[in-house]
Amino acid sequence: MPPLAARLHAPLLLVPAASPRPATRLCAASGPRGVGGFRRGALASEKPPVVAVAEKAGGEGGGGQGEGPYDAIVIGSGIGGLVAATQLAAKGARVLVLEKYLIPGGSSGYYRRDGFTFDVGSSVMFGFSDKGNLNLITQALEAVGRKMEVLPDPSTVHFHLPGDLSVLVHRKYEDFINELISKFPHEKEGIIKFYGTCWKIFNSLNSLELKSLEEPLYLFGQFFQKPLECLTLAYYLPQNAGDIARKFIKDQELLSFIDAECFIVSTVNALQTPMINASMVLCDRHFGGINYPVGGVGGIALSLADGLVEKGSEIRYKANVTNVVLENGKAVGVRLSNGKEFFAKTVISNATRWDTFGKLLKEKELPEEEKNFQKNYVKAPSFLSIHMGVKASVLPAGTDCHHFVLEDNWNNLEKPYGSIFLSIPTVLDPSLAPEGHHILHIFTTAGIEAWEGISRKEYEEKKEMVANEIIRRLEKKLFPGLQDSIVLKEVGSPKTHRRFLARNDGTYGPMPRGKPKGLLAMPFNTTSIDGLYCVGDSCFPGQGVIAVAFSGIMCAHRVAADIGLEQKSPALDAGLLGLLRWLRTLA
Ligand SMILES: NC(=O)c1ccc[n+]([C@@H]2O[C@H](COP(=O)([O-])OP(=O)(O)OC[C@H]3O[C@@H](n4cnc5c(N)ncnc54)[C@H](O)[C@@H]3O)[C@@H](O)[C@H]2O)c1
Ligand SMILES: CC(C)=CCC/C(C)=C/C=C/C(C)=C/C=C/C(C)=C/C=C/C=C(C)/C=C/C=C(C)/C=C/C=C(\C)CCC=C(C)C
C-alpha cells in the first residue's frame, strides 16, 4: 500500500491493496466542500477538490431493504465512532458504519483546495506517541494493523497573552516549567505543586489498562491491581483544575494563564475544567509529546476506515441516518433518509447526544438520564474557522506551529471571537502546501445565533468582515504583511460546522452549565434505551480527539461484553450501572 501521505495527495483512483472487499473502494471524487468554507455559488467555477471517498455500489447507503443483522451499527465516522467500530471489529464483531458525509473523520476530517490539504479541525494531536497507556490514537490504529508516520512538534502552543505575557509550552517539561517560573518567580512553589498534582493524576491514568468504566469485572480488576492509582483517580474525579490551582497559587495573572491553558482544550476556564482532563493534556504534551501525522490529520480517519474494512466490517458514505429503529423499547436498527433499513444487535451513535435524543429517536419524552445531562451541560459554542494559504515569506524564521492569541483583556478569553487559535501545520509537514507556501488555520469560538436569520448576501458579507478583522488582529500581533500574503482563503461559520459535520448548532461538544463536579456528571456510553449506546464528545470524558478515542474504546468494550465477545457479569452490571447512574445525579 502506498504511504498515506502519498495517498492523500494522489489524484487518481486508488484501490487499497490490503482491502479484501472489492465493493468498497477508495477513489478520486468531486464535490465535498470541507469545513473551511462553502460559498457554494462563489466556488462553483473552481476545479472540484480531490478527496478519498469510500463508496458502495448502489448509491446512498448502498444496501437493499432491511440488511443485517450486524453485531453493531455505528452512526457517524468521527474518531469516536471509528474507534468504537474498529475496536469491535478487532474483537471479531461484524460492524457497519454509516456516515452522512463523503469521507470519514467528522471534525477530524480534511479537505483539499488548489494544492493545499487542510485539517478541518484541530492539528494539535495528543495520544499519538509510541509509549505509555495513554497513546490512544496510536493504539486505535494498531488494533487494525495501521501505523502512521508522525512528526514530533518541539512545542505544544505559543501563548501570546495580555500584558505581553508570552509563554512557549516546550515539549520538554523542565523547559516549560522553567520558562513559566521565570515569568512568575514568586509563584515557583505553587507552579511546581499544581503541575506536580497533574503529574500524579496523569501517572495514575497512564498506569491503567484503559477499558470501559461501566464494566465491573474490568473496573474491580483495576482497583485490585492498582488500588492507589484508582483511589487517586476516584478522589480527583469530582474536582476541577481551577480549584486545585487556587490551593497553591495566588497570583491572579498566573491563575488567568491556567484558565487559558484549560480553555484551549475545554472552551471553558479552569474552574469549570475537570482536573482529570486538565492533567491528561497538561502532561501528555510532555510525556508523549504532540505529534503530527505526516500527510495531515485526515489520514487518521482514513487509516481507521481502511483497517475496519480489512477486518471484514463495512463503512458506507452518503448514508444519512434519520431514525433509530426501536422494537419493544430496544434499539434494533436504523433507517436512512432514503428509507433503507439496517438491523443490528446494538446501535452506537456518534452523533451528539442532542442529535441522538432530539432527532434520531422520535420518542416524545426525553429519558431522565438525558434530562439530567442537559441540566448539567449546554452545547459549547461552535467555531468560526479560516483556512488560508499564504506566501511562506510572511512567516519569520523559526515560527512555532501552534499559537493562542488573546491581546489585551483577560475578560475576553471566553467571549465569542475573544481569543484566536492558530495552527500552521506546514511548519511540520511542508507537503501540505505547494512549495513556497504555508497553511494558516485560524479559529475562534462563535455562537450560531448571530449567523441565523440573515440573507445569503448578508451572511457572505458577515463572514468576510469577521474573518478580515481576525486576520487584521493576527497581522498586528504576529505577522506584519499577512493580509497581502494570502493566496487562498476559505471561511467557515457555525452554520458551516452544523451543516457539514451534522452537529447540533455546530457545537464542539458539551460545556458545563455552571461549575461542574469534575467529570462526575458526564454520561458514559450506555443509555436508558436498551441496545443503544453513545460515543463521542457528549460522553465521558468530553471534547478532544484523544478524549473521543477513549470514549470509543470504552464503548467497544461495553458493547463487546453485551454481545458476548467479552466476559460479563449481569448481577455486577446491574449494581455498577445503577451506582454510576446514582452518582451522576449527585453532580
Ligand atoms: N476544532 C477542533 O479543534 C477539533 C478538531 C478536530 C477534532 N476535534 C474534536 O473531535 C471531537 C468530535 O469527535 P466525535 O467523534 O465525537 O464526532 P465528530 O463530530 O467528529 O463526527 C461525527 C460524525 O458523525 C456523522 N454523523 C452525524 N450524524 C449523522 C447521521 N444522522 N447519519 C450519519 N452520519 C452522521 C458526521 O457527519 C460526522 O462525520 C470534538 O469534541 C472535538 O474536540 C476538535
Ligand atoms: C467509575 C468511578 C466512579 C470511579 C473509578 C475511578 C477510576 C478508576 C477512574 C478512571 C478514570 C479514567 C481512566 C479517566 C480517563 C480520562 C481520560 C483518558 C481523559 C482524557 C481527556 C482528554 C481531553 C479532555 C483532551 C482534550 C483535548 C482537546 C480538546 C484538544 C483540543 C485542541 C485544540 C483545540 C488545539 C488548540 C490549538 C491551538 C492552540 C492552535
Side-chain angles (χ1 to χ4, degrees):
M1 190 181 306
L4 199 66
R7 291 176 41 215
L8 279 173
H9 289 274
L12 293 172
L13 186 91
L14 291 167
V15 181
S19 170
R21 304 178 79 84
T24 302
R25 66 187 195 277
L26 288 179
C27 66
S30 63
R33 296 270 175 228
V35 152
F38 302 90
R39 292 165 295 117
R40 279 180 109 79
L43 289 171
S45 58
E46 281 183 13
K47 206 166 144 247
V50 177
V51 294
V53 175
E55 268 178 340
K56 186 110 170 135
E60 183 182 329
Q65 288 289 341
E67 282 187 54
Y70 295 87
D71 289 316
I73 287 174
V74 180
I75 307 168
S77 68
I79 296 296
L82 280 174
V83 171
T86 44
Q87 292 281 312
L88 276 167
K91 293 177 204 287
R94 192 170 158 244
V95 185
L96 171 66
V97 178
L98 295 168
E99 168 57 51
K100 184 175 178 180
Y101 195 46
L102 305 171
I103 57 167
S107 49
S108 304
Y110 71 97
Y111 73 104
R112 294 232 176 87
R113 288 287 183 283
D114 299 346
F116 292 90
T117 304
F118 294 114
D119 296 331
V120 163
S122 161
S123 306
V124 180
M125 289 294 122
F126 296 87
F128 215 166
S129 76
D130 56 4
K131 58 180 179 176
N133 282 340
L134 288 166
N135 55 353
L136 300 179
I137 309 288
T138 312
Q139 288 179 38
L141 289 164
E142 267 170 15
V144 285
R146 293 293 182 279
K147 186 172 170 62
M148 289 183 74
E149 197 186 332
V150 294
L151 298 157
D153 196 335
S155 59
T156 305
V157 54
H158 194 155
F159 284 100
H160 311 270
L161 298 168
D164 277 331
L165 175 64
S166 156
V167 180
L168 180 64
V169 179
H170 301 264
R171 190 177 183 99
K172 210 165 147 216
Y173 178 63
E174 290 71 26
D175 293 347
F176 161 65
I177 279 298
N178 288 337
E179 173 155 341
L180 194 58
I181 290 172
S182 75
K183 312 277 169 168
F184 300 95
H186 52 288
E187 286 283 16
K188 178 175 176 181
E189 199 184 331
I191 290 173
I192 292 173
K193 283 192 173 151
F194 172 69
Y195 286 94
T197 308
C198 293
W199 277 107
K200 189 162 83 177
I201 295 166
F202 179 84
N203 291 335
S204 299
L205 277 178
N206 204 17
S207 73
L208 301 185
E209 182 198 2
L210 292 183
K211 291 177 86 175
S212 175
L213 300 175
E214 288 188 292
E215 203 294 296
L217 298 175
Y218 152 77
L219 187 64
F220 300 152
Q222 289 297 303
F223 263 100
F224 187 69
Q225 286 168 31
K226 309 262 176 190
L228 261 184
E229 289 81 353
C230 287
L231 288 172
T232 302
L233 293 170
Y235 176 74
Y236 285 105
L237 197 71
Q239 303 204 46
N240 299 320
D243 292 319
I244 312 276
R246 277 162 183 73
K247 282 190 189 165
F248 305 123
I249 292 168
K250 295 282 164 288
D251 186 297
Q252 209 43 56
E253 194 186 13
L254 180 55
L255 288 171
S256 296
F257 171 76
I258 291 171
D259 279 338
E261 283 258 74
C262 290
F263 178 78
I264 64 170
V265 291
S266 63
T267 59
V268 282
N269 60 45
L271 281 168
Q272 292 181 289
T273 303
M275 184 61 182
I276 290 190
N277 284 2
S279 306
M280 169 67 211
V281 290
L282 298 183
C283 298
D284 184 51
R285 65 192 187 182
H286 305 292
F287 178 82
I290 300 300
N291 299 294
Y292 188 78
V294 173
V297 167
I300 301 174
L302 285 177
S303 299
L304 288 171
D306 243 14
L308 178 81
V309 172
E310 198 177 285
K311 288 275 172 208
S313 284
E314 285 174 59
I315 180 160
R316 302 190 189 190
Y317 299 99
K318 295 202 283 177
N320 179 18
V321 176
T322 49
N323 290 63
V324 171
V325 178
L326 300 183
E327 206 175 274
N328 301 325
K330 182 181 187 311
V332 293
V334 299
R335 188 172 310 122
L336 304 189
S337 52
N338 64 1
K340 281 177 189 154
E341 292 187 334
F342 297 89
F343 294 98
K345 293 178 190 161
T346 55
V347 175
I348 300 171
S349 176
N350 188 204
T352 69
R353 291 190 102 94
W354 291 280
D355 288 294
T356 305
F357 286 89
K359 291 187 183 153
L360 301 182
L361 280 161
K362 309 293 178 201
E363 305 296 278
K364 283 189 196 72
E365 185 69 26
L366 202 61
E368 279 308 310
E369 274 278 298
E370 299 308 313
K371 280 187 193 156
N372 199 36
F373 169 70
Q374 294 190 14
K375 188 183 93 207
N376 288 309
Y377 294 95
V378 290
K379 287 169 243 171
S382 186
F383 284 100
L384 179 106
S385 56
I386 311 166
H387 287 99
M388 297 202 312
V390 299
K391 292 183 194 141
S393 52
V394 75
L395 300 187
T399 298
D400 302 298
C401 184
H402 305 288
H403 301 259
F404 180 80
V405 177
L406 173 66
E407 297 99 326
D408 313 314
N409 187 347
W410 285 107
N411 293 331
N412 290 339
L413 178 73
E414 294 172 72
K415 294 202 175 137
Y417 318 107
S419 38
I420 306 174
F421 299 74
L422 164 66
S423 289
I424 315 170
T426 37
V427 163
L428 298 172
D429 183 356
S431 77
L432 302 173
E435 211 178 325
H437 293 84
H438 274 291
I439 281 173
L440 260 62
H441 178 197
I442 305 159
F443 50 105
T444 172
T445 52
I448 199 155
E449 309 75 29
W451 294 86
E452 295 202 288
I454 52 179
S455 71
R456 186 82 212 162
K457 183 165 171 285
E458 286 166 328
Y459 174 72
E460 292 302 341
E461 284 169 359
K462 183 169 176 151
K463 279 210 300 187
E464 197 58 17
M465 191 190 74
V466 176
N468 283 344
E469 172 58 14
I470 303 279
I471 294 165
R472 188 200 59 76
R473 285 167 59 190
L474 282 181
E475 181 166 71
K476 188 162 167 228
K477 184 75 190 175
L478 295 180
F479 307 126
L482 181 60
Q483 184 75 51
D484 290 340
S485 75
I486 300 169
V487 299
L488 177 74
K489 184 174 82 187
E490 299 254 338
V491 184
S493 77
K495 282 174 89 171
T496 321
H497 287 79
R498 176 174 67 188
R499 178 169 176 199
F500 288 88
L501 300 179
R503 301 181 63 92
N504 202 307
D505 291 349
T507 178
Y508 261 81
M511 186 174 92
R513 210 175 265 281
K515 197 167 163 231
K517 288 211 170 66
L519 276 169
L520 203 62
M522 259 305 211
F524 291 96
N525 306 104
T526 60
T527 70
S528 44
I529 310 280
D530 190 18
L532 177 67
Y533 303 76
C534 282
V535 71
D537 60 21
S538 40
C539 301
F540 185 101
Q543 297 179 43
V545 180
I546 182 173
V548 301
F550 180 43
S551 146
I553 289 169
M554 289 198 294
C555 185
H557 178 204
R558 185 61 254 182
V559 170
D562 290 341
I563 60 176
L565 293 174
E566 293 243 15
Q567 256 191 312
K568 81 175 224 174
S569 154
L572 291 177
D573 276 353
L576 179 67
L577 294 179
L579 174 72
L580 293 174
R581 210 169 300 127
W582 175 72
L583 280 176
R584 281 196 287 275
T585 63
L586 300 182

